[in-house]
Amino acid sequence: MPSDVPPSDPAVPESPEDAATLAVAALSDPGATFDPRGLGLSLDHTARSPVRPPTPAHREVPPSGGDEFELIEPIGRGGFGDVWLAEQVPLGRRIAVKRLRPELLQADGGTDSRLLEAMFLGEARIQARLEHPNIVPVYDLDFDAAGRALLGMQRVRGQPWQEWLDEDLARPLDELPVADFLDHHLPVLVAVAQAVAFAHSRGVVHRDLKPQQVMVGEFGEVLLMDWGLAMLVEPTGAQGLELDPEQQEGVSADPGPGPSLEGDRASTAASAGTARRTGGTLVPAGTPSYMAPEQTSSDASRLGPWTDLYLLGGCLYFLLTGTPPHRGARGIDAFVAARRGEIEPAEDRAPDRKPPAELCRLAESLLAADPDHRRPADARSVVEALQGYLTGASRRRRARGLVDRAARDGRSDYDSLTRRLSALREAERLWGEHPDIPQLRVRLLSTYADAALEKGDLRLAAVQAEQIEDATVRQPIEERVERAVGRRRSLRLQRRAALLASLLLLIAVVVVGAASTSELRRERDRARSARAEAEDLLTFLLGDVRDELEPIGRLAALEPMARRAEAYFERREPAPAGSEEERRRIEALDLLATTLAVGGDVRGAIEVRERAVTMSRRHDTAGGDASDLRVLQLLAMTQHRSDLGRPEDALATLDALDREIDQRLAVRPDDIDWRLHRLEGLDLRGIVLFDQGRFEESFATYERLLEDAERLPDEEIDPALMSFSLARFAVLAGETDRPEAALEATARALDLGLQAEPPLSPRDQAFLEAIRGSALIDAGRREEAGDWLARSLRRLRTAVSEDPDNAENRLGLGDQLRTAGDNLRDLGRSAEARAAWEEAVKVLEPARETTSNLHLLDVLSRSLLRLGRSDEARPLVERLLAEGWTHRGYRRDVADYGFSSPAAEDSPFAAP
């Protein structure tokens, strides 16, 4: 048989296969159905041309629907069939009626006319035996006034699957990822395969499966159309299938678009016959771009259900690559490719789409050139394979492999444990219900914590222990970590305590001694020396001892000493401007302001800092350099003014800070300390703008902060401060609909948080974990978000239980409980959501009457509203609205519960 394109001026075709090859050469569209009947081809090898000669003109009989149907208007036209909208008169319903096109029926009732009518009736009988939800049902068969058959069928309203596919394939991959595309369209292919499996069970092979032959209805129903090339077969044991001799009158017309050509299964053009497995012939037919290799042959015995398996594989191939299996600019090109049975791997055809390997293997197996090698071996198994992919059977297999590898690897070094835990997380993502995952995770985390404890990496050990949900396993490890931390801290504090006692004693002696004028007169030189030494020791107290107490939240203990130090300086004569003594006094003022702020006297702290700023300017004017201290005062004053609800004053303070920084960097552009001050200023500006609801401005500020940080050496960046800046940037990315940026920022923040030295406090670590959970919620990954929020909650509950009077800890826990409740509600777990909101109220209620923290009142009021306790929430909501609270869209949120904003109607925070 020929395998190449035939010559342009062919001789008389020697075989039906040659005739079909010549005919398909004229087919310009390789995706159209190739049906030789439309060209008048038959098995009459004496025909002189593959082109049908013109038939005498005849007058078409006016449309008549017979007794059963009333034809209304044409709604489709195929190669030799018309489809009309009609009314089924006895039942009064609109249906579709298919009939042969009158101009193709010879007026003299010749062979072609009788053969076409026989084939039309054959199609009607085939389709009528296929009563399946995914196959268009046949309602009735009637005859018009001229005695020509009319086939009544369901009228299908919907969209051709090919159109839907083309629309989705035109969308960018970042808008419609391949996974989502397959989630949309694989269920359609499953329905088609179910229809094919049913047809095979009734002895029918479709022979022309492709997306163009499928309709997706208005309500998602899937219907396999066009059985015009279908053939009847019956099982013959292990040898395969043969054509059914009693019902093989022919195949019906193609009602779909494109040329309709199909080989006569007749020994002559004048009568119907049978094509047996041995010796039967038929002209090839189908769609060149999807044809199975056996469809290009004239040997009828080669066709069977396996042919439809190949075509199902072709449809799957189209889903994976966006192209049919056989490509070619013309029908003959695709026809030759089909004959050769050569398929380009789906991964190579569409590398940018990265189709799933499992589905690529399935498509490759179904598209095997040899029918005996096609797997699965029947359409029902194809349905199961596709459903298995959709329902996660393959994911379970992959998860088992990952769990097995994680369990077998017995190494306990950091790298191996990290890889094993990563594999376990991937397995859990694939199959969260794997029965071995919880126990194996506990074992790996425990091993990791033990290894970290042995190396003295106490922070790493604590991080691993915190991830263990089983308290009976977690608590002993945490106790070991705490004991190790306590031993390390005890050694430091013992050394510091001895030094601190001597320092305080010496300072007291000097201060008391300074009050005794007579003693000073007698020992002036000794006093001057002692005073200088005392001031040096005081500087040490303000520096090293402060650094020791501040991270553990005990800085307020220094307030009495800070006041005594300030009183000491007040009693003395003013220090010379620009002197080191004056600089030490500025440092003492900073300590006093800090202890006042920690103790809740924010206004007092601002007053002291203003004195420090004034003194530092005088110091600089006299030739000293206290600009670094002044920057610290301005940063702190910005925070204080923001805390007091004075954002405009805070921004004005930041403007003054920017001027200080600009002046210094203009002289010394590479000064690392001042470039770090710039980052601190940007961080505070972002916070103030955020609290005002100016999210886009705040986001731009943090973008600049991160850009500036990238230009600094890594060793100069404080991991803790940068992790918080990234976390706040992530919050803003969520507020401004940038979920991917939020996810990336939270991942970096967590990595930097682990590098912090000293380690982050439980509240700070919980903050980072909660921000990660919120970012995952915004990205639609709610199950994963729940894990992070649960981890944050566990840490915060511990902090609150250890320090119940700490309002910040309570706020952190209440806020995360409210967020976790919202997430659980959106997951449909309403009972758990309600429990989370109730716990949030219980945590925050004790601070309700005494707090001035509007954020705490925000969280409390939202939790009450979600619980339906509107009367309790009302005074809180009204207070927050009156004070202009706009954090995270608060006004819009409470508007859903019937509260309106007192703001102007054009305010972006007014109730919608």
Side-chain angles (χ1 to χ4, degrees):
M1 67 181 69
S3 59
D4 297 319
V5 179
S8 57
D9 184 18
V12 175
E14 297 295 328
S15 71
E17 185 175 344
D18 294 333
T21 303
L22 293 175
V24 81
L27 190 64
S28 61
D29 181 7
T33 299
F34 171 68
D35 185 349
R37 291 175 304 186
L39 298 180
L41 292 179
S42 71
L43 299 189
D44 180 0
H45 298 173
T46 64
R48 303 298 300 174
S49 169
V51 180
R52 177 181 179 136
T55 57
H58 64 281
R59 180 175 62 84
E60 179 180 354
V61 176
S64 169
D67 297 331
E68 184 78 14
F69 310 127
E70 179 180 339
L71 304 185
I72 299 173
E73 61 182 358
I75 56 175
R77 182 180 178 89
F80 54 88
D82 285 337
V83 180
W84 288 70
L85 174 64
E87 180 159 346
Q88 190 174 15
V89 177
L91 296 178
R93 63 175 172 180
R94 294 294 174 89
I95 64 171
V97 169
K98 180 177 176 181
R99 66 172 191 166
L100 289 172
R101 286 166 47 194
E103 67 268 26
L104 295 181
L105 301 176
Q106 295 182 2
D108 60 359
T111 302
D112 287 352
S113 173
R114 292 196 304 272
L115 182 59
L116 288 175
E117 290 176 343
M119 290 178 174
F120 184 87
L121 293 173
E123 177 188 6
R125 294 192 181 100
I126 287 176
Q127 195 165 346
R129 66 164 58 186
L130 301 178
E131 298 177 6
H132 188 270
N134 300 119
I135 298 174
V136 179
V138 171
Y139 291 150
D140 205 352
L141 183 68
D142 199 8
F143 295 86
D144 64 12
R148 288 175 288 206
L150 303 169
L151 184 62
M153 300 177 295
Q154 176 185 335
R155 179 190 179 191
V156 179
R157 295 178 178 86
Q159 179 187 30
W161 187 24
Q162 185 67 57
E163 290 183 9
W164 183 18
L165 286 166
D166 291 342
E167 291 171 3
D168 281 354
L169 287 169
R171 296 166 64 181
L173 287 175
D174 57 352
E175 179 184 326
L176 182 64
V178 171
D180 294 343
F181 175 90
L182 292 173
D183 285 344
H184 292 173
H185 294 284
L186 277 177
V188 179
L189 184 57
V190 169
V192 172
Q194 287 172 329
V196 172
F198 178 82
H200 290 177
S201 74
R202 296 297 185 268
V204 178
V205 178
H206 189 281
R207 285 208 300 162
D208 198 24
L209 301 172
K210 56 183 176 180
Q212 293 97 321
Q213 307 285 44
V214 179
M215 289 289 291
V216 180
E218 292 176 322
F219 300 98
E221 63 273 26
V222 176
L223 294 167
L224 177 57
M225 312 288 289
D226 191 6
W227 297 81
L229 295 188
M231 58 185 295
L232 290 169
V233 294
E234 62 182 5
T236 58
Q239 298 302 314
L241 300 173
E242 66 176 13
L243 300 175
D244 183 344
E246 297 179 1
Q247 302 189 52
Q248 190 60 41
E249 288 88 2
V251 178
S252 89
D254 175 15
S260 179
L261 290 129
E262 198 256 328
D264 301 342
R265 284 172 301 280
S267 58
T268 69
S271 63
T274 48
R276 294 280 180 174
R277 183 172 177 81
T278 57
T281 57
L282 102 141
V283 175
T287 299
S289 56
Y290 286 88
M291 273 183 171
E294 63 267 27
Q295 287 181 273
T296 66
S297 166
S298 61
D299 184 357
S301 66
R302 294 180 59 186
L303 300 177
W306 48 84
T307 304
D308 282 351
L309 296 181
Y310 188 99
L311 299 175
L312 287 172
C315 294
L316 176 58
Y317 189 95
F318 188 95
L319 298 189
L320 299 176
T321 67
T323 61
H326 311 306
R327 292 197 294 189
R330 302 171 299 160
I332 187 61
D333 300 325
F335 185 87
V336 171
R339 176 177 290 172
R340 291 173 176 167
E342 298 173 356
I343 303 293
E344 183 180 11
E347 299 94 332
D348 297 341
R349 176 73 66 87
D352 58 324
R353 295 186 65 79
K354 298 179 181 178
E358 181 178 359
L359 291 180
C360 290
R361 290 193 296 271
L362 176 60
E364 180 181 0
S365 180
L366 289 170
L367 291 168
D370 185 346
D372 292 335
H373 294 163
R374 291 173 196 160
R375 295 291 183 275
D378 59 80
R380 192 188 300 273
S381 299
V382 174
V383 171
E384 293 174 356
L386 294 173
Q387 288 178 332
Y389 178 88
L390 286 171
T391 57
S394 61
R395 293 180 175 87
R396 289 192 289 274
R397 287 194 297 273
R398 290 170 56 197
R400 289 190 187 97
L402 290 167
V403 171
D404 289 344
R405 286 199 296 274
R408 285 197 306 269
D409 187 348
R411 293 172 293 177
S412 58
D413 57 281
Y414 286 174
D415 288 343
S416 297
L417 287 166
T418 299
R419 286 195 297 270
R420 294 166 71 186
L421 284 168
S422 178
L424 202 62
R425 282 193 294 271
E426 176 64 11
E428 188 172 23
R429 185 188 69 81
L430 294 169
W431 183 20
E433 295 77 21
H434 191 298
D436 297 339
I437 287 177
Q439 183 178 0
L440 182 57
R441 180 196 292 110
V442 170
R443 179 156 61 88
L444 292 178
L445 290 171
S446 300
T447 303
Y448 210 142
D450 289 341
L453 277 167
E454 290 178 7
K455 294 179 179 294
D457 296 332
L458 304 184
R459 179 60 186 160
L460 181 59
V463 168
Q464 303 307 324
E466 287 162 1
Q467 299 178 60
I468 301 174
E469 296 182 2
D470 186 346
T472 60
V473 179
R474 182 183 70 251
Q475 289 176 354
I477 298 175
E478 289 178 334
E479 290 171 0
R480 290 171 58 198
V481 173
E482 285 299 319
R483 287 195 296 270
V485 170
R487 287 193 297 270
R488 182 178 294 179
R489 184 179 299 162
S490 177
L491 290 174
R492 288 202 305 266
L493 291 179
Q494 286 174 13
R495 291 193 295 266
R496 293 293 185 189
L499 180 59
L500 180 59
S502 61
L503 287 173
L504 294 177
L505 178 61
L506 182 57
I507 290 171
V509 169
V510 171
V511 170
V512 171
S516 174
T517 306
S518 60
E519 181 68 14
L520 284 175
R521 278 198 297 268
R522 285 196 302 270
E523 310 223 2
R524 182 176 299 170
D525 292 339
R526 183 171 61 83
R528 284 176 180 170
S529 175
R531 185 178 66 195
E533 185 178 356
E535 290 175 358
D536 287 340
L537 291 171
L538 179 61
T539 301
F540 183 74
L541 172 67
L542 300 178
D544 285 16
V545 177
R546 172 180 177 169
D547 291 344
E548 193 69 32
L549 296 178
E550 193 166 16
I552 61 175
R554 296 292 181 265
L555 195 59
L558 283 180
E559 183 184 345
M561 283 306 305
R563 289 188 179 278
R564 289 178 63 182
E566 173 60 14
Y568 164 65
F569 282 114
E570 286 288 343
R571 283 194 300 269
R572 296 190 61 253
E573 295 178 2
S579 66
E580 281 300 312
E581 183 181 349
E582 184 179 55
R583 180 180 173 89
R584 281 194 292 273
R585 184 168 186 187
I586 297 170
E587 293 173 344
L589 287 172
D590 175 63
L591 176 62
L592 176 58
T594 302
T595 58
L596 289 171
V598 171
D601 186 3
V602 178
R603 288 181 173 82
I606 292 176
E607 180 182 345
V608 173
R609 292 195 191 282
E610 287 174 341
R611 290 168 54 197
V613 168
T614 301
M615 190 177 295
S616 70
R617 294 192 191 283
R618 185 184 70 180
H619 183 80
D620 288 0
T621 303
D625 186 5
S627 57
D628 57 335
L629 298 176
R630 187 163 58 252
V631 166
L632 295 175
Q633 302 309 309
L634 292 171
L635 285 167
M637 278 198 292
T638 299
Q639 185 65 63
H640 297 336
R641 285 168 172 161
S642 178
D643 291 341
L644 289 175
R646 294 157 52 186
E648 296 305 325
D649 290 346
L651 291 173
T653 306
L654 286 170
D655 291 339
L657 173 66
D658 286 343
R659 290 192 292 270
E660 293 277 354
I661 295 173
D662 289 342
Q663 290 173 8
R664 175 56 66 99
L665 291 180
V667 178
R668 299 171 60 183
D670 295 328
D671 190 313
I672 294 297
D673 289 338
W674 284 79
R675 291 171 67 185
L676 290 172
H677 289 327
R678 171 80 76 194
L679 298 185
E680 293 171 327
L682 288 170
D683 191 35
L684 272 176
R685 185 177 293 275
I687 292 172
V688 174
L689 291 170
F690 175 83
D691 287 340
Q692 286 187 290
R694 296 157 65 177
F695 300 136
E696 286 291 348
E697 294 175 72
S698 184
F699 182 83
T701 300
Y702 275 102
E703 279 190 315
R704 181 184 170 191
L705 183 156
L706 296 177
E707 290 171 1
D708 288 356
E710 289 291 336
R711 292 191 282 268
L712 288 172
D714 290 343
E715 62 271 15
E716 299 295 341
I717 298 293
D718 183 346
L721 293 178
M722 187 52 60
S723 67
F724 297 140
S725 295
L726 282 163
R728 288 188 277 271
F729 174 79
V731 172
L732 284 158
E735 292 283 2
T736 54
D737 295 326
R738 297 174 172 95
E740 293 304 320
L743 287 174
E744 180 181 355
T746 53
R748 292 174 58 197
L750 287 164
D751 288 341
L752 286 171
L754 291 175
Q755 302 170 28
E757 186 59 44
L760 298 181
S761 68
R763 189 180 68 201
D764 290 339
Q765 185 68 27
F767 167 72
L768 296 181
E769 292 166 346
I771 298 302
R772 176 65 175 176
S774 297
L776 289 166
I777 290 174
D778 291 341
R781 295 158 59 179
R782 293 187 174 277
E783 291 292 347
E784 189 176 352
D787 294 339
W788 284 96
L789 293 175
R791 188 179 306 167
S792 172
L793 286 173
R794 186 168 61 241
R795 198 188 303 273
L796 286 168
R797 287 189 181 104
T798 301
V800 169
S801 66
E802 293 176 350
D803 190 1
D805 296 328
N806 189 314
E808 287 298 320
N809 285 347
R810 285 186 175 273
L811 170 58
L813 176 56
D815 196 10
Q816 295 320 308
L817 284 166
R818 196 266 303 169
T819 302
D822 291 354
N823 186 43
L824 290 165
R825 174 197 59 194
D826 294 340
L827 289 171
R829 295 154 63 179
S830 56
E832 296 172 76
R834 188 172 184 84
W837 295 325
E838 288 174 345
E839 185 181 353
V841 171
K842 182 179 179 180
V843 167
L844 299 175
E845 275 286 3
R848 175 176 184 164
E849 300 301 330
T850 59
T851 186
S852 60
N853 190 314
L854 299 183
H855 191 177
L856 188 148
L857 299 179
D858 169 321
V859 178
L860 177 57
S861 61
R862 289 201 216 194
S863 300
L864 288 168
L865 288 172
R866 282 154 173 73
L867 290 168
R869 295 157 64 177
S870 299
D871 291 341
E872 296 176 67
R874 182 174 298 278
L876 300 175
V877 175
E878 290 174 347
R879 175 182 170 186
L880 288 164
L881 293 177
E883 295 195 25
W885 180 248
T886 60
H887 180 74
R888 294 183 71 85
Y890 181 77
R891 294 176 185 270
R892 292 189 184 278
D893 194 357
V894 299
D896 293 339
Y897 295 92
F899 292 92
S900 60
S901 169
E905 290 183 0
D906 59 352
S907 166
F909 302 107

